[in-house]
Amino acid sequence: MGFMPPSPQRSVSLFVGSISGGIDDDFLNRLLSACGPVRSFKRLITPANKPQGFGFAEYEDLDSAIRAIDMLTGIELPALEDMCANKKLLVKADEKTKTMLDAHKSSRISTDQEEERTKDAKARIDELVTEINNVSQKAIDEGRLEKEKGDLPENQRGLVISEIAQFRERAAKREREKMRDMKPAAPAPSGPKVREWGKPQNTQASPPLPGNGAQRGFGNGAQGYQKPVPFVKAESETRDDRALPGKSNKTDLQLEEERQEARRRDEEASFRDRERRYEPRERNKMTALERGIARERATRDAEERDRKEIRMRLDIWDDDESDELFYMDRARWRHARARRLEAEEAADAKSRAYEEEEAENLRRESEDFLARQMDEMQALAEEQRKAGLLLDDGAPVRLNVALPAGGQHKEGPKEKATVFGQEEEEEEAAKRRKVPLVKLDFSVTETTEKAQERLEKIRTEVPTDKDTLFKRKVRWDGVTETMIDRKMEPLIKRLMIKYLGEMEEEDLIMFVLEHLKDHKAPKQLIEGLEPVLEEEAIELTVSVWRQLIFESMAYSDGLLTGDMYVDAE
């Protein structure tokens, strides 16, 4: 059976990354819809309720997905947030989807209708890009937007990253508290107390009838069945009176306005908190800068005063009237200079003698150390020789040559045999002399080999089962941020390329690195990666967590893993 191209009506999910800061979902939906019908667009949200720089778009047909990849990839979108740089949009598919799209693209027939759709999509995309560029330029002209001027200095980058992490933690905590406060209260208990929901009435009960009619609920009383219940009000009033405790009667618009107001208050409080912490630091920087400027100004003023004073002295200088010792008493000046030179030479001789003494002490210490090493090596060699592990190189070989006392000429064959036996013994002695000697200085090599063997053993002991692996405790004191940046980042990037292909956007990698630096659980990492990697999020988390457990086990044993990874590259 021949190859049948897939149906163009099949939905396709594409990865949309490198989204500039401030670009909202509404504009992205319009931009993606310009290439074809979009079924859904999902974008990850940070704990601080801020959208990430990547997401997933699901198109209803293959042709729309192909147009999105060809026409949207590389489009530069302006940043609508302060201190953010413009980014080029990235739209791509995974390997399976890419193979399917390539097969469909090679099998479809180009038609005038398809060319017209492509032309309309190109015009619509250009229109949207021009619109967002105008919005960005207008914000810049009005001073509401400030573009990124460059990277932070190295001495401030770690501080800013830690402040951002603390801000996210506080925002997440406030969000959890707010959600906990918004939970509805327990419903009112059923039974007779339900009658208390109505407002108290001023209607007076009619006189009780004799017999059982005087009981509550019978007869013509206030709660009797002979006439309508008097506390039933109009529809709006009844709905207000019977509102359950813990539930609000506000409209969705009012609730959204309250949420926006609460968010604005949280942002204002966060801004005040940052301002409170940053203001003393900036004030100290300004004070230090002012002190430095004052020192430079004082130095310049002193140099200028000295310059003016020397210039004035040189203008009125006269050798005959000078009070300098060089001009007044030349012999006395020479005597003073000689004494200064003698003092300097004495100081130099003292310094040279001290240096020679230090060199001699160092030489003696080196000789003593080498002598101790030689004694230790000889003692070790003697122990190995006694144990039979070391042979004396060049030891005399005993030859067992037994010739008869007389008749040497008569016993020719026996003499030849004896000579052959002598040659064999010489060969055996040479073989014994060529036996490789045991290295004496093998402490470093032995330690390195033992450490490597222990690391290999630890690597085989790292669990591969997901449940067992996630139950193991990570030694975060051994997994430092420096190690995460130096060793875990290349591993995570390699895994991302494996599952998503070549990618220019590093927001997903930074998301995983920040998760590790915050010492969060692996299940939270899987939940954060599932919208992007789907079922492959578990495989990536398992690979990352195996490396963390390997580093923790090695740290517990006092070993350094170096560039060793638990999984072969």
Side-chain angles (χ1 to χ4, degrees):
M1 184 174 61
F3 173 74
M4 296 181 63
S7 174
Q9 300 299 326
R10 180 178 177 180
S11 61
V12 179
S13 294
L14 299 179
F15 175 77
V16 182
S18 190
I19 302 173
S20 301
I23 302 297
D24 55 5
D25 294 349
D26 180 60
F27 176 80
L28 289 174
N29 278 313
R30 288 192 295 158
L31 186 64
L32 295 170
S33 300
C35 301
V38 178
R39 181 172 296 179
S40 65
F41 174 68
K42 298 179 180 179
R43 192 172 178 184
L44 295 183
I45 303 298
T46 63
N49 203 20
K50 181 180 179 181
Q52 293 275 22
F54 56 90
F56 270 103
E58 184 179 2
Y59 281 92
E60 295 184 355
D61 57 86
L62 302 182
D63 294 332
S64 301
I66 293 174
R67 278 194 297 271
I69 295 175
D70 295 340
M71 304 179 68
L72 295 181
T73 301
I75 292 181
E76 184 174 355
L77 298 179
L80 300 182
E81 287 185 356
D82 290 338
M83 304 305 297
C84 290
N86 300 344
K87 294 183 181 180
K88 292 184 179 180
L89 197 64
L90 174 64
V91 181
K92 62 181 301 182
D94 56 16
E95 294 298 331
K96 297 180 182 178
T97 307
K98 185 179 180 181
T99 303
M100 181 180 62
L101 294 177
D102 293 340
H104 175 71
K105 190 174 182 180
S106 60
S107 62
R108 70 178 181 180
I109 301 175
S110 179
T111 59
D112 296 339
Q113 185 179 6
E114 182 65 24
E115 293 180 357
E116 186 67 23
R117 290 178 180 175
T118 304
K119 185 177 180 181
D120 294 342
K122 182 66 170 62
R124 179 57 179 166
I125 291 172
D126 293 340
E127 180 182 351
L128 291 174
V129 172
T130 304
E131 176 186 344
I132 198 68
N133 283 326
N134 293 336
V135 172
S136 175
Q137 188 61 38
K138 183 178 179 181
I140 293 174
D141 296 339
E142 294 178 356
R144 293 182 289 105
L145 181 61
E146 183 178 358
K147 289 293 184 179
E148 182 181 15
K149 297 180 180 180
D151 295 335
L152 291 172
E154 290 294 338
N155 57 355
Q156 297 182 8
R157 186 172 301 170
L159 177 63
V160 173
I161 291 176
S162 63
E163 294 293 342
I164 292 174
Q166 295 176 7
F167 170 72
R168 290 179 176 176
E169 289 294 337
R170 288 194 299 271
K173 183 178 180 181
R174 288 195 297 269
E175 188 68 21
R176 290 193 297 269
E177 293 177 354
K178 184 167 62 177
M179 295 298 295
R180 185 168 59 250
D181 296 339
M182 292 177 62
K183 289 183 179 180
S190 59
K193 290 186 178 180
V194 177
R195 298 175 181 176
E196 298 177 2
W197 292 353
K199 294 182 179 179
Q201 304 296 324
N202 296 326
T203 307
Q204 296 180 357
S206 57
L209 295 177
N212 295 334
Q215 298 178 359
R216 186 176 181 181
F218 296 91
N220 297 324
Q223 301 293 334
Y225 296 152
Q226 303 298 327
K227 63 179 180 179
V229 180
F231 59 80
V232 176
K233 299 295 181 95
E235 182 179 359
S236 60
E237 295 180 358
T238 303
R239 186 165 56 247
D240 293 340
D241 293 341
R242 295 195 174 189
L244 294 175
K247 290 189 177 181
S248 175
N249 294 323
K250 298 179 181 179
T251 62
D252 292 343
L253 180 59
Q254 292 175 343
L255 293 175
E256 181 63 23
E257 289 177 353
E258 290 182 358
R259 284 194 292 268
Q260 293 290 343
E261 181 65 21
R263 183 179 303 175
R264 187 192 64 79
R265 288 195 302 268
D266 292 342
E267 292 177 353
E268 182 69 19
S270 174
F271 172 76
R272 297 300 180 189
D273 182 63
R274 285 181 293 169
E275 184 181 18
R276 178 180 56 80
R277 286 184 285 107
Y278 276 109
E279 186 176 355
R281 190 178 305 135
E282 294 299 326
R283 187 182 299 111
N284 294 334
K285 289 182 180 179
M286 291 297 297
T287 305
L289 182 60
E290 291 175 355
R291 284 199 301 266
I293 294 174
R295 283 195 301 268
E296 293 179 359
R297 186 181 297 112
T299 303
R300 288 197 302 268
D301 294 343
E303 291 177 353
E304 184 65 25
R305 287 195 303 269
D306 294 341
R307 191 180 298 110
K308 290 181 180 179
E309 183 179 354
I310 293 174
R311 186 182 297 111
M312 292 175 59
R313 291 185 60 185
L314 293 177
D315 290 341
I316 62 175
W317 185 264
D318 188 359
D319 294 345
D320 298 334
E321 299 180 358
S322 175
D323 55 352
E324 294 289 340
L325 187 61
F326 179 80
Y327 298 102
M328 296 176 61
D329 192 348
R330 188 67 56 86
R332 185 180 172 186
W333 175 82
R334 288 195 183 97
H335 182 68
R337 186 180 65 172
R339 283 187 300 177
R340 286 196 301 271
L341 292 177
E342 290 176 359
E344 292 178 359
E345 291 175 357
D348 293 342
K350 185 178 180 181
S351 178
R352 282 193 297 270
Y354 178 76
E355 291 177 357
E356 292 175 358
E357 184 181 358
E358 288 292 325
E360 182 64 21
N361 294 335
L362 181 60
R363 185 184 62 79
R364 285 197 301 268
E365 291 178 0
S366 301
E367 291 178 355
D368 296 341
F369 175 75
L370 292 176
R372 289 195 303 270
Q373 289 291 323
M374 184 61 67
D375 295 339
E376 293 176 1
M377 292 171 64
Q378 290 177 357
L380 181 60
E382 186 65 26
E383 292 178 1
Q384 292 181 348
R385 188 179 293 109
K386 290 180 180 180
L389 299 176
L390 184 63
L391 297 177
D392 292 333
D393 193 8
V397 180
R398 297 180 180 180
L399 300 178
N400 188 12
V401 181
L403 295 178
Q408 294 182 359
H409 300 285
K410 295 181 181 179
E411 301 294 336
K414 290 184 179 181
E415 180 181 359
K416 186 178 294 185
T418 304
V419 173
F420 289 153
Q422 177 181 356
E423 291 179 355
E424 292 177 358
E425 290 180 359
E426 289 179 355
E427 290 179 359
E428 292 179 2
K431 289 181 180 179
R432 286 198 297 268
R433 288 196 298 267
K434 292 181 180 179
V435 173
L437 301 179
V438 179
K439 293 183 179 180
L440 298 180
D441 189 11
F442 61 91
S443 58
V444 178
T445 305
E446 183 181 5
T447 303
T448 305
E449 292 177 354
K450 288 183 178 179
Q452 190 68 23
E453 292 177 358
R454 291 172 62 187
L455 287 176
E456 291 292 341
K457 183 179 179 182
I458 290 174
R459 183 163 66 175
T460 58
E461 295 175 354
V462 177
T464 57
D465 180 62
K466 178 174 69 70
D467 297 333
T468 306
L469 180 67
F470 290 167
K471 290 179 181 179
R472 298 293 292 270
K473 183 178 180 181
V474 180
R475 289 288 302 271
W476 293 110
D477 52 343
V479 183
T480 61
E481 293 188 2
T482 304
M483 192 277 291
I484 292 175
D485 293 333
R486 181 182 63 83
K487 194 168 183 179
M488 299 301 296
E489 183 176 359
L491 173 63
I492 297 169
K493 187 174 183 181
R494 199 159 56 242
L495 294 173
M496 290 296 180
I497 294 175
K498 175 182 177 182
Y499 297 129
L500 295 177
E502 294 293 335
M503 52 185 299
E504 300 178 0
E505 180 61 40
E506 296 185 355
D507 288 346
L508 198 58
I509 299 175
M510 294 302 298
F511 172 76
V512 180
L513 292 177
E514 291 181 4
H515 183 94
L516 298 181
K517 291 179 181 179
D518 293 340
H519 304 171
K520 295 183 179 178
K523 294 183 179 180
Q524 298 179 3
L525 180 59
I526 295 175
E527 294 175 359
L529 294 177
E530 275 182 345
V532 181
L533 299 177
E534 297 179 351
E535 68 274 1
E536 294 172 344
I538 299 178
E539 299 179 9
L540 185 142
T541 306
V542 169
S543 299
V544 172
W545 227 255
R546 276 174 53 81
Q547 185 65 32
L548 290 178
I549 296 302
F550 174 65
E551 298 290 342
S552 301
M553 296 172 65
Y555 180 78
S556 299
D557 289 353
L559 299 176
L560 297 177
T561 59
D563 296 333
M564 188 176 183
Y565 288 92
V566 67
D567 294 325
E569 299 182 10

